[in-house]
Amino acid sequence: MPATRNGQIGAVLALALVGVSGGGCGSFPAQELTTGSIATPATAKVVAAPTAEDKACLERAMYFESNRSDEEGLLAVGTVVMNRLDAPAYPGRICEVVGQKRQFAPGVLTKPVREADRPRIERVANLLLAGHRHPEVGQALHFHTAGLTFGYDNMHYVAKAGGNAFYEK
């Protein structure tokens, strides 16, 4: 998505949120973390604060879904996981998102991770949990192995990284 479009969408959402909430602090309950949707507090998706287990699930998804060759691929896959966490159609915990059937590689939550790779995937997971995202992936919720092609008209490709092609529907 071009940067100007992102800026326009962000401005529209900001105005909508100010209009809905009156711009006041504390409009949402302090104990709940909700997505940035325009939903009212009563209908907003509740997203659980990430636990150590959630971080491990995020690391495993990044590790087994990218070609593990560089941090860009790890970050791109992690961005999709975090985007799904914010999307209403997906669960509100990272491990639930990663553990959904037929969404990620078989064994993503059970295969062994090489100890030598742990520092790199932990570093990228920490970036994601701190709010960093892959700039080209944007709000994409989907990806598949790069090089595969599908004849669907609703797939808008936004990035290639880590052996994957990322797209929005």
Side-chain angles (χ1 to χ4, degrees):
M1 191 179 301
T4 56
R5 185 167 179 214
N6 279 342
Q8 292 170 341
I9 291 172
V12 169
L13 288 175
L15 288 173
L17 287 172
V18 168
V20 170
S21 68
C25 294
S27 297
F28 297 101
Q31 71 275 13
E32 294 179 350
L33 175 66
T34 60
T35 64
S37 69
I38 305 176
T40 64
T43 61
K45 175 183 171 184
V46 175
V47 177
T51 63
E53 181 183 9
D54 287 318
K55 181 181 174 196
C57 291
L58 176 61
E59 291 169 358
R60 292 177 143 285
M62 294 184 313
Y63 184 74
F64 290 111
E65 289 290 352
S66 71
N67 65 11
R68 301 176 212 132
S69 64
D70 61 22
E71 292 185 10
E72 180 186 15
L74 296 170
L75 183 64
V77 170
T79 296
V80 167
V81 171
M82 299 307 285
N83 288 348
R84 287 182 177 194
L85 185 66
D86 285 340
Y90 294 90
R93 292 210 69 93
I94 293 172
C95 286
E96 292 171 348
V97 168
V98 174
Q100 284 189 300
K101 290 185 179 188
R102 295 184 301 270
Q103 295 297 308
F104 292 93
V108 71
L109 294 176
T110 58
K111 291 180 185 177
V113 174
R114 281 181 18 157
E115 287 304 314
D117 293 332
R118 282 197 186 278
R120 187 165 41 105
I121 60 175
E122 288 175 358
R123 184 171 49 252
V124 176
N126 286 335
L127 287 171
L128 284 156
L129 293 173
H132 189 77
R133 301 292 184 266
H134 190 286
E136 294 175 25
V137 171
Q139 297 301 308
L141 298 174
H142 310 282
F143 64 94
H144 60 73
T145 303
L148 297 179
T149 57
F150 299 93
Y152 303 114
D153 293 335
N154 65 342
M155 297 169 76
H156 170 69
Y157 289 93
V158 295
K160 283 187 182 179
N164 294 305
F166 297 82
Y167 63 96
E168 298 173 339
K169 283 188 172 182

